[in-house]
Amino acid sequence: MTVAPPSPAEAARAQAIAWIGQAPKRLLIGGQWVDAVSGKTFETLNPATEQLLCRVAEAEQADVDAAVAAARKAFEAPSWSAMSPHSRTRALLRIADKVEAHIPELAAIESLDNGMPLWYATAAATACADIFRYYAGWCSKVLGTTIPSDGSTLIYTLREPLGVCGQIIPWNVPVLMASIKFANALCCGNTVVLKPAELACLTSIRLAELIQETDLPPGVINVLPGFGPTAGAALAQHLGVDKIAFTGSTAVGKQVVRDATSNLKKVTLELGGKAPNVVFADADLDKAIATAVKTFCGNSGQVCSAGTRLFVQESIHDEVAERVASEAATWKAGDPFAADTKLGPLISARQRDRVWSYIGAGQESGAALRLGGKAWNGPGYFVEPTVFDNVKNGMKIAQEEIFGPVLSIIPFKDEDDAVLQGNETTYGLSAAVWTRDVSRAHKVVKALKAGRLWINTFGEADPAMAFGGYKQSGWGREFGAESIEAYTQAKSVMVRL
Ligand code: ADP
């Protein structure tokens, strides 16, 4: 009898499980994998099965102190500080190649740890290699300027690294978050202490292992799995940290800002969103509807830039609502490794219960439930796609970030009404407009108050395109030229000739 070879998904899952089963997952400090000073560990679960994957060392204050000291030493060491820009480019390209060679494994670890379907995790891991390549190109382009003067002086600026960067990332797309943070900081010559989220930290650990294999000097990256109020707060408050970059909820972002006042470290924040996705009656509805569903269901809606408020022109509201609901109903939930699974579970029981409370709030507020609202039968923290239509923009489900596959469809009259309602939110991370009218498209994107806009698409990304928030969606930008400023500081110099 011949046994069929495993499918690529099965092979990747087996490889990921083998890695997860290896030696305990520890902290990376100064180039060494070590236990926490306290000896404490915590559990990480598979959200699709609710079963234990493994235990991970739990960083606290003492570990943060050690990691910050290691990052400082690495920052001052000539092996990093005096590295030529071209050598730094090569270092980042080596990381990109390493990541690229391990996409299936990284994706499978992410699927097991976060629950996202393998197709989604594979796309995220693939983007990571591109992100390291993008920032590799920047190393030799972190330019200063020369300033016009009267000829008796020479005035110029230098753009210099900030130093030790504390980076706190969420659990929603961990491998992508870790890659963005590492690549941006390293290309500008900084060193890093990364704190992944306690709910999904395994790909950050695996990514750091891979980076270690590329011979980056010890201490340039340090990784501290642990909890927010302990390890995260210790990093945000630390006097030895020069910058804190945080991605997560707006509430925690505000706490990080308060903690960062300890030494007035620089702060950048990528926070929540409640993106308006505006569809005019003249739009290509086939594309607009398929994309509208992809943006609120992708990663089970656990995406800060997700298009969770679908504004639809009144004349097509009912048609679009019906088509969105039937398209969303095709988003089959289930085993993240199954080829036909489009929707994975939410990250935790707490997150599932939170999303359920919003679905309840939507029903109580009188919005019409078109799809969903049925409890999941079986293990895993699944919530199926849920669509409300005829929602009023002031309702709780249209104002608060739900972080689940829940869509509010809101009718609007005309351009002015779409902009007015679209901007009626405390958030301002992203937005999109769908129309065949070129002038209207550009007028509306100009009027919408958000950091990243799309016309006739949603959610597509390019590392050259800055990402960040207006209003309470954040401070500063990641990606693009703006992100180089966020990880450097200017020094101006006058020479008397
Ligand atoms: P969620 O509540 O959905 O997990 P958070 O914004 O709380 O989202 O988490 C994002 C990241 O922030 C995680 O790494 C988490 O551990 C961290 N975090 C949570 N609370 C704090 C805090 N008080 N200080 C610093 N980091 C924190």
Side-chain angles (χ1 to χ4, degrees), residues 212-232:
Q212 289 298 98
E213 289 172 16
T214 67
D215 292 331
L216 208 63
V220 169
I221 62 159
N222 303 274
V223 178
L224 300 181
F227 290 85
T230 48

Side-chain angles (χ1 to χ4, degrees), residues 263-493:
N263 66 341
L264 295 180
K265 57 177 66 67
K266 312 289 181 274
V267 180
T268 48
L269 305 167
E270 299 295 344
L271 306 176
K274 195 73 191 177
N277 184 15
V278 180
V279 182
F280 285 92
D282 70 343
D284 178 336
L285 290 187
D286 290 348
K287 281 193 192 144
I289 288 164
T291 310
V293 172
K294 200 170 169 194
T295 161
F296 91 91
C297 289
N299 206 17
S300 292
Q302 300 170 119
V303 178
C304 47
S305 59
T308 47
R309 287 185 301 150
L310 182 63
F311 287 97
V312 180
Q313 201 155 20
E314 277 172 356
S315 59
I316 55 164
H317 172 275
D318 291 355
E319 178 200 345
V320 169
E322 195 185 317
R323 289 179 62 188
V324 162
S326 55
E327 170 71 21
T330 70
W331 276 63
K332 186 176 168 296
D335 174 8
F337 286 83
D340 61 347
T341 293
K342 285 177 139 180
L343 200 80
L346 299 182
I347 190 71
S348 64
R350 180 171 157 256
Q351 185 62 16
R352 176 201 54 205
D353 295 346
R354 201 174 153 270
V355 171
W356 268 110
S357 78
Y358 279 106
I359 294 172
Q363 286 170 296
E364 278 161 30
S365 64
L369 183 67
R370 264 231 189 218
L371 179 72
K374 286 194 302 294
W376 177 256
N377 190 11
Y381 312 124
F382 292 88
V383 173
E384 291 181 287
T386 302
V387 177
F388 287 98
D389 67 24
N390 275 308
V391 174
K392 301 225 173 0
N393 192 46
M395 289 176 179
K396 186 174 162 133
I397 51 167
Q399 285 297 313
E400 296 183 18
E401 186 176 46
I402 298 175
F403 237 55
V406 181
L407 181 69
S408 292
I409 303 182
I410 307 169
F412 71 88
K413 283 195 196 53
D414 55 18
E415 218 171 286
D416 288 346
D417 187 31
V419 168
L420 187 76
Q421 294 199 65
N423 284 337
E424 267 171 4
T425 165
T426 54
Y427 294 112
L429 193 55
S430 58
V433 54
W434 295 80
T435 175
R436 287 191 167 93
D437 180 333
V438 177
S439 304
R440 172 195 277 158
H442 290 287
K443 279 195 274 175
V444 172
V445 292
K446 191 154 189 300
L448 287 171
K449 293 182 171 47
R452 183 180 276 185
L453 277 292
W454 293 278
I455 296 173
N456 294 337
T457 184
F458 199 115
E460 292 187 73
D462 186 309
M465 200 179 160
F467 182 66
Y470 279 37
K471 300 195 260 183
Q472 294 191 37
S473 286
W475 286 352
R477 295 290 179 271
E478 291 186 314
F479 294 125
E482 290 84 348
S483 69
I484 303 302
E485 292 196 3
Y487 277 89
T488 54
Q489 52 197 338
K491 176 183 277 177
S492 63
V493 182

Side-chain angles (χ1 to χ4, degrees), residues 168-171 195-198 227-229 232-233 246-249 252 255-256:
I168 301 175
I169 59 169
W171 42 260
K195 195 207 80 67
E198 56 275 30
F227 290 85
F246 171 80
T247 299
S249 61
V252 175
Q255 182 59 43
V256 166

